[in-house]
Amino acid sequence: MRRCSALLAAAVLAGCATPPAPPRAYVALLENADGSTGRVVYRGPSGTAELRQPREAVALDGPATPFTLSPAQLQRDAGAAMAAQPRPPRVFVLYFDAGNAQMTASSQALLADILADVKSRATADMSIIGHTDTVGGAEQNAALALRRAEQVGQMLKEAIAAAQQVEITSHGETNLLVPTPDETPEPRNRRVEVTVR
């Protein structure tokens, strides 16, 4: 009888030690692709909760008390949705010499990476946007930036053929990476940005 009581007590204690199952509907904070985490402020009928840690969650239909999801629970509840997300866009920045459409050698080395990224996606869209620094007139710089973007497009013919949609445009000197006064030669502004998504 004593042994039976001990087993019953152990079973009751084990039942108390099991954490409650997470609610069926909740908001959870996940890590970004780079490992960083933002924050979420949830306001609902039963209060407000601030989520700051990865996998921290709050029930949509219960008390506004944060709890932490186990990796296994998150996988069970949202694994399929997370796996179905498209890959994040990737931006490649190619730099150019002053006043012309000659790409730097280090930027030319990135062309193979761009092609590989396009081919690694089931479907890919590309944007190729040319930029200049502020040396010269606005119209002249718009034309030079477009010439740079079109040249990159020619160098990436194979990637363009594999992409679903490609947009080649010029921002000239209107979208500076490094803000400068007019007539300032800034190498980081002489660029073409290739975004693959």
Side-chain angles (χ1 to χ4, degrees):
M1 184 69 152
R2 214 177 293 149
R3 191 173 193 186
C4 186
S5 298
L7 287 173
L8 182 58
V12 169
L13 288 174
C16 292
T18 303
R24 292 182 55 106
Y26 55 84
V27 173
L29 180 63
L30 304 179
E31 286 181 322
N32 296 317
D34 65 1
S36 65
T37 305
R39 72 183 186 104
V40 170
V41 177
Y42 169 76
R43 290 181 179 88
S46 55
T48 299
E50 184 173 357
L51 311 178
R52 291 182 169 269
Q53 301 299 319
R55 293 183 287 105
E56 198 170 28
V58 63
L60 295 177
D61 57 357
T65 306
F67 60 93
T68 302
L69 289 167
S70 71
Q73 183 67 45
L74 182 61
Q75 183 62 34
R76 277 192 301 272
D77 292 346
M82 290 188 300
Q85 288 183 328
R87 281 176 41 199
R90 189 161 174 205
V91 179
F92 300 86
V93 181
L94 310 171
Y95 293 101
F96 289 77
D97 293 338
N100 61 46
Q102 180 62 45
M103 191 184 308
T104 64
S106 59
S107 292
Q108 287 180 9
L110 291 175
L111 296 174
D113 294 341
I114 297 170
L115 176 59
D117 193 80
V118 169
K119 288 186 167 186
S120 72
R121 295 171 186 263
T123 60
D125 290 344
M126 293 174 62
S127 65
I128 302 172
I129 304 172
H131 302 268
T132 66
D133 58 21
T134 59
V135 175
E139 285 184 28
Q140 172 192 353
N141 283 336
L144 175 58
L146 183 58
R147 197 163 75 242
R148 288 173 175 166
E150 289 172 340
Q151 179 181 324
V152 169
Q154 287 295 315
M155 297 171 125
L156 291 171
K157 278 184 182 176
E158 191 177 349
I160 287 174
Q164 298 292 313
Q165 181 177 346
V166 179
E167 180 182 18
I168 298 176
T169 59
S170 166
H171 286 189
E173 61 180 57
T174 62
N175 190 4
L176 299 174
L177 187 64
V178 179
T180 65
D182 200 25
E183 297 300 325
T184 303
E186 172 52 62
R188 291 169 292 177
N189 287 333
R190 298 190 298 262
R191 70 200 192 278
V192 168
E193 293 181 1
V194 179
T195 303
V196 181
R197 55 192 163 275

